[in-house]
Every structure is written in C-alpha cells, then in structure tokens.
Amino acid sequence: MPRATVIGLGKSGVAAARLLKREGWEVELSDGNTSETLLKQQQELAAEQITVKLGQSLELNGANLPQLIVVSPGVPWDIPVLVEARQLGIETIGEMELAWRNLQSLPWVGITGTNGKTTTTALIAAIFQAGELNAPACGNIGYGACEVALSQGAGSREQGAGGAGEAGGAFDNSSLLTPNSSLLTPHSSLDWVIAEVSSYQIESSSSLAPRIGVWTTFTPDHLSRHKTLENYYNIKAKLLRQSELQVFNGDDAYLSQLGLSAWPDAYWTSVRGKDFLISEKGFYIEDGWVVEKSTATSTPEPIVKVSALRMVGEHNQQNLLMAVATARLAGINRDAIALAIREFPGVAHRLEHICTWEGIDFINDSKATNYDAAEVGLASVNSPAILIAGGEAKAGDDTGWLTQIQTKTAAVLLIGSAAPAFAKRLREVGYHNYHIVETMERAIPKSAELAKQYQAPVVLLSPACASFDQYPNFEVRGDRFRHLCLAWAGNYMYVAPF
C-alpha cells in the first residue's frame, strides 16, 4: 500500500487525508500544534484508520519514506522539510492539486487576485447556480477543494461536465459559503467547480488547468512568503497561463500595463466604458448596463443593469463585470445572470452591514487584510467615518490608504500589534485624531461615542492588517466585531437586510 503524508490538520488537510484513504493510500496526517480540538479530531480520524501525529513536525528519515506529501494552504512551500522532500524525489503537492486530479474531468473556474477574489468567486457561483448548474464555491471560500472531490465518490473522474441551464427560480445563497449544503450531497453530480485559488494554492499545484481563469487585481501582498513582486506575479500568472479562457480586470493598474503584450487572447473588462477596453473583445459598463462584446466583430450586447447589484463601490462593479464575463463564457443566459445579481447579498466580512444604531451604520470589512483592500473599503462608505484599523501589519505601500484616511475619516481607532506603528505613520502625514484602544472590546463603545461626537454616519472595521496577533483568522475577527456591535446596539438597533 503506498504511503502519503498530509501536513496540516485543518479543514483542507482532513479532507485531503480522507480522499487519499479512499483512493487506497496509507495516510499519516501531521500538525505541529496540539489542543483539545485537535486531540478530538485525532481520535475521530484514528477510527477511520488515518494516523494523526500532533505537536511534531514531519521528519524524513529512515527507509519508510512517503511516496506523496500533500500540503495544506497555510504551510509555507519552502520550509526545509518540503525542500528536502523534493530533493529526495518525493512528490509534494498542495491539497488543491489533489482535488484537481480527482475532478479534472469537470470544467473549473479558477479565480485569483490580491483583492476582490472572494466576492467575485461568490458572485460567479451564485450565477451558475441560478442557471441551475451544480457549481459549489470552494478553495479559499466555502468548501475545501478536497471536500468537493470527496462528495463525488470514487467514480468522479469519469463524470462528464454539464452544460449551462436556463434560469430557474429563487436559489439559496447560503449554499455559496456554507459547508454541508445541498450542493454537496453524497455522490451528487457536479457540473462545474468554482474555485477561489490563493497564491499559496497555485504555488503547490503543478497541473491545475481551469476552463476559465479570472484575475481580479494585483498589488504587493504576501511578500514575506513570496519574497519579490516578480515571484508573486509569476505564481498568479501560472494559473492564468494554464487556463483555456482568461478574464482580466482591465481597470487594475498593474494588469492593464501588461495588457495585450502579455495576455493577447484574454477577455478584458472596464467599468469606464468601451473606449477603455484593452482588447477588441470583452465586457464593459455603458449607460448603466454591463455590455458584452464577445469578438472583435460582434455587435455589443447589453446583459444586465449595473443597478441590479446591491453592493456599493466601483470595485464591486469590477467584480460584477468579471463574474458576468465568466458566466457568458460558460454559456449562461441573461435571465439567470440577472436573477443571481438581484438576489446576491454580498460576502461576509467584506463591507458587510451589521446594524444601524441611532443612525450610525456599523460595517464589517475584516477581510481587508492589506492597505489596498482597506483603501477600497474606506472609499466605498459615506464620510466622515470612524475607522477601526490594526492587527498584524503586512509589508506594502500605505500611501493611498493614508490619503483615504485623511479624506474620509473623523477619527481612527487602532487595535492590535500594529497600533504603535500605525500611530507613528498617521502622525508623519499630519493626522492626529487617532486613539490606541488595543482591543476590539474597547473599540466598539469608543467608536459609537466618537460617531455621535462627530456626527459620523459610519463605523467601519477595515483593519489593513492580518489578524493573527489576536485572532485565528479574519473571519473570527469579523465575527467578534459583529457580536460586539449587536451586543452594544441591544434593543435599539435596526438590523438591515444583508
């Protein structure tokens, strides 16, 4: 029996281990951490004959080496044991690659980018589902990719791809992001796989080749892992090069500079109209409509009104264009697209309206984990705003973000380990109305007080930071913000429809 080792006992790692076990591998799962939750998982997996080693790192010594190592997304690709494994000739892949190998008979949409990919992925999945296609969102959103592969049973590799359906009735948006929904009933036949793919997952995928690849934005991020901007770009570009069809955000400054010279066959998009379309085919906004120009010689065709989308901000119009482009390339009709966009509620933790208290909107933008995303968040809300920022700082250019703070905020509350450095940067640009409050628990009542004082219509959590100094991930941070806001507002709040 061949031996495989899975590194990382998260959702993705567990699904990968179970998938390998089903395929006949002897599986060992390792995680450097230990906790009561992990110990419980260890017992559950032992009952499935999957060995789990906690509190220790993988060591490659002795004669009984694994033939395959599968890496969870959060595990750095260049840690010494993985470098050693590749030198020893041990096949080393990510869990996304493992899922692809089990589901490559199906057409995939692969969405990547620095910002915007989660909203775009969720919107694409909503449109496909409105078109009566079984197309779950997975990867960095919703299900783990190997969870999707597990749902297909042992015969999934022989399944064919479904075509685009007609517009159906109302659909359940919760299925986009909530695991264990009806989309993944055991052995249900999938039509498409809609995968949000991070740079980490691309880096560890050798053969992932989507039918449609989408690149939302590109700005410096994750450079502590990828070292250089060129390396980060090349990792992202790998997914698009291996995609049959390509969709690009033509309003992104970096991508648009490369344009046709780098991506001559791509479908480009622009919120600024036909005259700003980089190529002779693509999707753009004109007179309040998303317009399709499918070939250089085809007549432009209006697809859906931009006003159908309830989400605010130009960046969401860019996301809309890329989602519609993807749907049209997959053959989905206008009725299904319009239905999905009208009913799309948005994405949790990305400009998510939590509640309104005494005329003040509390908005959760916890997913803004870098300067560019936080700049977009501030640009999208009414001013003056009370901003809550901070966490674990990332490398990057904060110039645009600081300018937006000076323009849009009445006061800034700083939390987390980045607070002293952020305070210093604010002083350097002449902004002094900040308060170091350290924790979210202190930020909420203080933000409400300041909002009343300055007649600010919005309290915005948009951290511009990772969450790992105080929270396991940005979702937990956003959930804590939501809980504290609702507790603060109490019986006086009005919860707006999401």
Side-chain angles (χ1 to χ4, degrees):
M1 183 182 291
R3 296 184 66 247
T5 295
V6 178
I7 303 178
L9 188 58
K11 177 176 68 173
S12 298
V14 170
R18 285 175 169 151
L19 184 58
L20 288 165
K21 185 67 178 177
R22 192 181 71 186
E23 292 183 338
W25 292 78
E26 179 187 339
V27 183
E28 178 180 289
L29 205 161
S30 70
D31 197 300
N33 300 310
T34 185
S35 66
E36 286 187 19
T37 301
L38 294 180
L39 288 167
K40 184 179 179 183
Q41 282 186 299
Q42 182 184 44
Q43 293 174 343
E44 291 174 356
L45 291 167
E48 301 174 34
Q49 297 182 308
I50 295 173
T51 302
V52 177
K53 293 187 175 180
L54 296 176
Q56 54 185 294
S57 300
L58 174 65
E59 293 183 356
L60 299 174
N61 47 38
N64 197 21
L65 295 174
Q67 285 78 52
L68 176 69
I69 296 175
V70 179
V71 183
S72 296
V75 178
W77 191 236
D78 59 355
I79 58 174
V81 70
L82 295 184
V83 173
E84 181 187 359
R86 292 192 286 271
Q87 290 172 344
L88 290 170
I90 300 171
E91 186 176 20
T92 306
I93 63 173
E95 53 82 36
M96 180 68 73
E97 172 73 11
L98 179 63
W100 164 255
R101 293 180 182 185
N102 280 265
L103 295 170
Q104 60 185 301
S105 65
L106 295 169
W108 283 50
V109 178
I111 302 98
T112 196
T114 309
N115 297 308
K117 57 184 179 291
T118 296
T119 300
T120 304
T121 301
L123 188 49
I124 289 170
I127 294 171
F128 277 55
Q129 290 162 33
E132 297 186 343
L133 293 170
N134 195 355
C138 70
N140 244 27
I141 179 177
Y143 303 102
C146 283
E147 287 183 293
V148 176
L150 273 172
S151 77
Q152 293 305 283
S156 64
R157 296 182 189 218
E158 284 74 44
Q159 290 180 359
E166 297 301 308
F171 59 94
D172 180 9
N173 274 306
S174 65
S175 64
L176 302 179
L177 302 176
T178 307
N180 303 317
S181 77
S182 60
L183 289 175
L184 286 194
T185 53
H187 309 297
S188 61
S189 178
L190 296 184
D191 298 311
W192 284 76
V193 177
I194 313 297
E196 178 186 330
V197 193
S198 71
S199 56
Y200 299 178
Q201 291 164 318
I202 300 169
E203 188 177 37
S204 58
S205 297
S206 57
S207 64
L208 175 61
R211 175 76 58 82
I212 304 170
V214 182
W215 195 336
T216 60
T217 55
F218 184 75
T219 53
D221 198 11
H222 305 302
L223 297 187
S224 59
R225 172 155 170 169
H226 299 313
K227 311 306 181 190
T228 68
L229 188 65
E230 181 183 16
N231 190 41
Y232 179 44
Y233 172 84
N234 286 332
I235 290 168
K236 294 283 191 187
K238 175 183 169 185
L239 181 75
L240 276 291
R241 291 191 184 109
Q242 295 183 177
S243 299
E244 183 180 333
L245 300 169
Q246 302 152 341
V247 175
F248 282 84
N249 174 8
D251 297 318
D252 180 83
Y254 194 101
L255 297 176
S256 62
Q257 282 182 348
L258 297 171
L260 294 177
S261 60
W263 306 99
D265 298 319
Y267 290 84
W268 292 85
T269 64
S270 180
V271 300
R272 294 177 292 173
K274 182 180 178 180
D275 292 343
F276 291 88
L277 211 56
I278 289 173
S279 67
E280 294 184 329
K281 62 182 183 182
F283 294 76
Y284 55 92
I285 292 176
E286 187 171 85
D287 297 328
W289 283 80
V290 172
V291 178
E292 172 186 353
K293 195 172 189 300
S294 56
T295 69
T297 57
S298 62
T299 302
E301 179 184 359
I303 303 299
V304 64
K305 283 189 173 183
V306 176
S307 60
L309 185 69
R310 288 184 281 169
M311 300 171 70
V312 299
E314 184 178 276
H315 66 291
N316 279 320
Q317 293 182 7
Q318 294 169 349
N319 297 337
L320 172 65
L321 279 171
M322 289 180 284
V324 171
T326 302
R328 293 298 290 166
L329 292 175
I332 296 174
N333 67 39
R334 289 181 295 178
D335 290 342
I337 292 170
L339 170 68
I341 291 167
R342 281 197 308 271
E343 298 192 359
F344 187 69
V347 174
H349 312 295
R350 191 62 177 124
L351 291 170
E352 174 192 9
H353 186 281
I354 300 301
C355 63
T356 300
W357 173 77
E358 296 193 9
I360 303 160
D361 292 327
F362 288 76
I363 296 177
N364 169 22
D365 198 31
S366 182
K367 199 176 189 306
T369 59
N370 55 49
Y371 296 119
D372 298 285
E375 180 184 345
V376 168
L378 264 175
S380 301
V381 301
N382 293 326
S383 59
I386 306 299
L387 173 67
I388 302 171
E392 183 179 288
K394 288 183 177 181
D397 183 359
D398 63 2
T399 307
W401 178 63
L402 290 168
T403 300
Q404 200 67 235
I405 287 176
Q406 291 172 297
T407 305
K408 295 291 290 277
T409 67
V412 178
L413 302 179
L414 299 173
I415 63 173
S417 61
F422 278 8
K424 182 173 181 289
R425 288 294 290 134
L426 288 169
R427 289 195 302 272
E428 287 172 353
V429 298
Y431 188 99
H432 298 282
N433 199 16
Y434 64 84
H435 307 262
I436 296 179
V437 293
E438 297 180 341
T439 66
M440 197 79 74
E441 287 73 14
R442 295 175 183 168
I444 300 308
K446 184 66 174 177
S447 68
E449 173 194 326
L450 291 171
K452 297 289 281 185
Q453 178 182 339
Y454 292 106
Q455 296 184 310
V458 171
V459 169
L460 173 68
L461 169 67
S462 193
C465 283
S467 59
F468 304 126
D469 58 331
Q470 293 179 320
Y471 302 95
N473 51 53
F474 73 82
E475 291 97 339
V476 174
R477 176 172 63 191
D479 289 342
R480 185 60 180 158
F481 175 79
R482 181 189 298 109
H483 172 80
L484 291 168
C485 289
L486 295 177
W488 169 263
N491 295 326
Y492 301 100
M493 74 175 183
Y494 162 67
V495 180
F498 174 49

